[in-house]
Amino acid sequence: MTLQLWLSIFLYLIFIPALLSGILLSINRKSNFQNSNFNAISLTLIHITTILLTISQILLALIFVTVNSDFQIVTNSAATWMSIGELIAASWSDRWGSYHLWTWFTWITVSLIFMKFYPKKKDNDKISKHDMFFFELILWGAIVILFLLLGQRPFRVAEPGSFPNGLKPSLLSIWNFLHPPLAFASYTGFFVSWAIGSYFWVKSPNFQSKFSQDLIKLDRLVTRITWVLTSLVLTLGVIWGYEANWGGYWSWDSVIVISIILWLVSGYRLHLHEIGSNQALYLLLGIIGFPLVFFAALLITSNILSGLHNYAGGSVAPLFLTLVFITLIPIAIGWYRHKWQPLSPVRVSNDVAKPNGFNIGVLSFNFLLLGNFVAILLQIGNSIFELNRNFESAYPLINGIGFFGIMVGLLVDSLQHKYTSPKSIAGLLIISIITSYIFWIQHLDNDSTGLSYLIKLIFTTSFVTGIIFTSFLLLSSEVYKYKLKAVITPRRLVSHIAMLLVFLTIIANGAGPAINTRESNDPYILEIGDSIITPDGLEVKLDAIEGPINNSRGLIVIVYLSMIKGEIGRASCRERV
């Protein structure tokens, strides 16, 4: 038997303990815990699944490091000239490998949750049948994610005639080590919040019970971590996009818009938790985050909208559309069980409410969430029905107004609580004006004239200066509160830093002129066999073209070139387009 077949069988065998753990857990809950051994067996099977997935992840990295061209996933993304670090990062650059990484993160998280909260054999009578529904929900959700991985067949045999292509230049970056893993880790956080929110929404348990309070604390921790991770994903993506020659720091790509929506969902939930009210909206936002992850995957794989992230092909797009609707089912069930009335708002924490300036922020969060989501739906409708409308131009206006509102809310809250001295405020304002001029205002397009340019200048100046000023003010306020040993906590400081990262990411759109995209006004049009001589005397001949080849990242065209200069011998090379 070949190595590919052995590894494929091994991956499919992983599904057996995972499926058995879910079946045993469901049977035991339905029978009202009559067999106490089932719980212990289920827990053991969950840990076995996680260990086997860890081994599979290591094996996947090994076949990349050794550049084993017998695997299609290796020929898609690896090459012998790549470094070991680049080869390891290539293991999650392909769609198949990225699913494997996400599945691994998910099962590690599920194992940790079961270890912490799952009742021991002696404690079975301390948890209700309703409470057990949470464990059943999160376990079966993880099983579905594992099933998605099996459907991708990451260890499939390489197609005849295929050879290691290597990663395209934009993926040969240090950010490929950080950006994708952080993104999939954040998706795991949205999955956990979905499971917790669905449990409360459907079952409506006693929020004052110990198990409910433990889940609320877990949800708050996961949401905060997810928010920070999403902030890092957006920030690092900006840097990577610039280096990858995407034409600048920022693009209103559909996946980037969904990432902003996910960041807003997490941030909105954290601020709702801070004032300890509106439990219905808090839970609802927790549920919709995970479907948005599948919605982003749908946009990537369906090519409905053209974008910089659309590289994965469209064969699994219908599956992601189905998963979007499946993960929204708990909302419908919860509303039906409660006679189509949302749960009445109650306190979800004992934190001291600080509503000053908060109402402005809440309105801004609502505007940003609804505005971005409606805009992307309009874009999809425009693409499907060929309306030829430019809805993408609405994103800067929507996010400019929304983030300006959040900034104003934070300013009002900071100034009313007097966390910063007047002298510090004046100094920070001066620094903000200088910084905003250097990074944005001086690069304004001067083509506009008259009143329109004046309005644009005023809005841009106030917006950029305000965001930078708010960023400095928030940091100085947190430092001041820390010195006073007041209400600051490490998690609050981390959350505010995450907010500042996204603020600075948004204004990076104007931080310097867009880099050149190396477009030529006099392109070469060659037939096979033709050659050209470059200005430095290099003769380049087009020998052959193969493709397009449809792999997991889209269409690839192999271009064979031979080059000669002066007395130097002829050398051949291949380029991918």
Side-chain angles (χ1 to χ4, degrees):
M1 295 179 68
T2 62
L3 179 61
Q4 302 94 314
L5 185 58
W6 278 114
L7 291 181
S8 297
I9 292 174
F10 176 75
L11 188 61
Y12 280 102
L13 288 176
I14 296 176
F15 192 69
I16 296 176
L19 184 62
L20 287 176
S21 65
I23 293 173
L24 291 177
L25 187 66
S26 297
I27 291 175
N28 202 30
R29 191 180 77 87
K30 295 294 183 182
S31 63
N32 204 19
F33 313 112
Q34 291 183 3
N35 192 329
S36 58
N37 292 325
F38 278 9
N39 284 356
I41 296 174
S42 296
L43 186 60
T44 302
L45 291 173
I46 290 170
H47 296 329
I48 289 175
T49 303
T50 304
I51 293 172
L52 293 178
L53 271 174
T54 303
I55 295 174
S56 181
Q57 187 69 39
I58 294 173
L59 292 174
L60 180 64
L62 285 176
I63 65 172
F64 268 89
V65 170
T66 57
V67 194
N68 192 329
S69 58
D70 294 332
F71 294 87
Q72 185 63 43
I73 190 174
V74 175
T75 61
N76 289 343
S77 305
T80 54
W81 48 264
M82 295 169 58
S83 67
I84 293 179
E86 290 171 342
L87 289 169
I88 293 175
S91 67
W92 55 67
S93 299
D94 190 281
R95 186 182 74 222
W96 306 329
S98 62
Y99 286 161
H100 198 297
L101 184 68
W102 182 30
T103 306
W104 183 45
F105 283 164
T106 300
W107 276 89
I108 289 176
T109 305
V110 170
S111 287
L112 293 174
I113 290 175
F114 270 77
M115 288 176 61
K116 177 66 176 178
F117 299 101
Y118 198 63
K120 304 299 185 291
K121 187 174 181 180
K122 62 180 180 179
D123 298 327
N124 283 340
D125 57 340
K126 296 182 181 180
I127 190 168
S128 68
K129 189 176 181 179
H130 279 349
D131 296 339
M132 208 66 179
F133 175 74
F134 163 73
F135 295 105
E136 192 176 9
L137 186 64
I138 196 171
L139 178 56
W140 278 106
I143 292 172
V144 170
I145 293 175
L146 177 58
F147 182 75
L148 288 177
L149 172 63
L150 299 182
Q152 299 305 309
R153 296 169 49 225
F155 295 114
R156 68 181 71 185
V157 180
E159 297 177 359
S162 60
F163 50 85
N165 294 313
L167 288 175
K168 56 184 180 180
S170 62
L171 295 177
L172 294 172
S173 170
I174 184 63
W175 307 117
N176 198 23
F177 288 93
L178 301 174
H179 183 78
L182 289 174
F184 289 111
S186 69
Y187 296 163
T188 302
F190 285 111
F191 167 64
V192 174
S193 293
W194 171 83
I196 295 174
S198 299
Y199 161 70
F200 282 117
W201 190 268
V202 173
K203 291 299 183 180
S204 187
N206 178 14
F207 279 85
Q208 303 306 319
S209 68
K210 183 181 183 304
F211 182 72
S212 295
Q213 289 296 315
D214 288 342
L215 283 188
I216 289 172
K217 292 178 182 178
L218 172 65
D219 188 28
R220 182 177 182 179
L221 174 63
V222 169
T223 302
R224 195 174 297 276
I225 293 174
T226 303
W227 197 35
V228 173
L229 290 175
T230 310
S231 302
L232 291 173
V233 168
L234 285 170
T235 307
L236 297 180
V238 166
I239 303 172
W240 193 6
Y242 185 89
E243 290 184 357
N245 199 20
W246 279 8
Y249 285 103
W250 190 266
S251 172
W252 292 108
D253 180 82
S254 57
V255 176
I256 296 177
V257 174
I258 295 294
S259 298
I260 291 177
I261 295 175
L262 289 171
W263 181 83
L264 290 167
V265 166
S266 298
Y268 201 172
R269 298 189 78 222
L270 286 179
H271 284 76
L272 285 174
H273 207 295
E274 288 295 329
I275 65 170
S277 64
N278 207 342
Q279 169 239 340
L281 181 58
Y282 175 80
L283 295 177
L284 183 63
L285 290 171
I287 297 173
I288 67 174
F290 193 48
L292 285 173
V293 171
F294 287 124
F295 186 63
L298 171 66
L299 294 178
I300 291 174
T301 57
S302 65
N303 292 323
I304 295 176
L305 298 178
S306 60
L308 299 168
H309 288 85
N310 293 11
Y311 55 83
S315 59
V316 294
L319 174 62
F320 285 123
L321 180 60
T322 303
L323 290 172
V324 169
F325 288 107
I326 290 177
T327 49
L328 289 172
I329 288 177
I331 296 178
I333 295 176
W335 258 319
Y336 177 77
R337 287 173 61 91
H338 301 293
K339 302 186 184 302
W340 299 101
Q341 295 294 325
L343 301 179
S344 58
V346 297
R347 289 186 64 82
V348 292
S349 74
N350 294 320
D351 292 343
V352 178
K354 296 180 176 64
N356 294 328
F358 188 81
N359 290 335
I360 301 175
V362 167
L363 290 174
S364 302
F365 270 117
N366 288 330
F367 178 79
L368 282 167
L369 282 171
L370 294 176
N372 281 299
F373 193 68
V374 169
I376 205 166
L377 290 180
L378 289 174
Q379 269 194 287
I380 293 174
N382 180 60
S383 176
I384 295 175
F385 299 107
E386 299 181 355
L387 301 178
N388 297 322
R389 302 289 181 87
N390 184 19
F391 292 110
E392 186 176 343
S393 60
Y395 289 121
L397 179 62
I398 291 171
N399 288 276
I401 295 174
F403 276 92
F404 188 82
I406 292 179
M407 176 200 69
V408 170
L410 291 170
L411 275 175
V412 169
D413 184 67
S414 243
L415 295 176
Q416 285 184 346
H417 286 85
K418 298 180 180 179
Y419 293 139
T420 310
S421 66
K423 291 182 180 179
S424 299
I425 292 176
L428 293 174
L429 183 58
I430 294 173
I431 295 174
S432 302
I433 293 173
I434 296 173
T435 307
S436 62
Y437 175 79
I438 293 173
F439 284 98
W440 191 334
I441 298 170
Q442 67 169 333
H443 301 294
L444 276 176
D445 184 9
N446 294 321
D447 292 339
S448 303
T449 57
L451 183 61
S452 61
Y453 177 73
L454 180 61
I455 294 174
K456 181 179 179 181
L457 179 63
I458 293 174
F459 179 77
T460 305
T461 304
S462 59
F463 178 54
V464 182
T465 304
I467 283 185
I468 297 177
F469 175 56
T470 304
S471 304
F472 285 130
L473 189 63
L474 277 176
L475 284 178
S476 64
S477 298
E478 297 298 331
V479 172
Y480 182 69
K481 286 184 284 185
Y482 178 75
K483 290 181 179 179
L484 295 180
K485 297 182 179 179
V487 295
I488 186 176
T489 58
R491 62 176 182 269
R492 187 181 180 92
L493 178 59
V494 169
S495 297
H496 279 169
I497 291 175
M499 178 177 286
L500 304 186
L501 286 174
V502 176
F503 276 0
L504 296 176
T505 298
I506 293 295
I507 68 171
N509 184 35
I515 56 179
N516 296 325
T517 55
R518 297 191 294 271
E519 293 182 357
S520 173
N521 295 324
D522 185 25
Y524 295 107
I525 301 177
L526 301 177
E527 300 289 342
I528 294 177
D530 291 349
S531 62
I532 61 171
I533 299 178
T534 63
D536 58 352
L538 177 66
E539 181 184 354
V540 181
K541 181 181 178 182
L542 177 61
D543 293 328
I545 298 177
E546 289 184 4
I549 301 171
N550 189 8
N551 76 349
S552 64
R553 294 203 314 276
L555 299 178
I556 289 181
V557 176
I558 310 297
V559 179
Y560 293 87
L561 302 174
S562 59
M563 294 173 285
I564 186 171
K565 185 174 182 180
E567 301 299 325
I568 302 177
R570 184 177 296 272
S572 297
C573 70
R574 292 180 309 201
E575 292 292 339
R576 290 189 309 159
V577 179

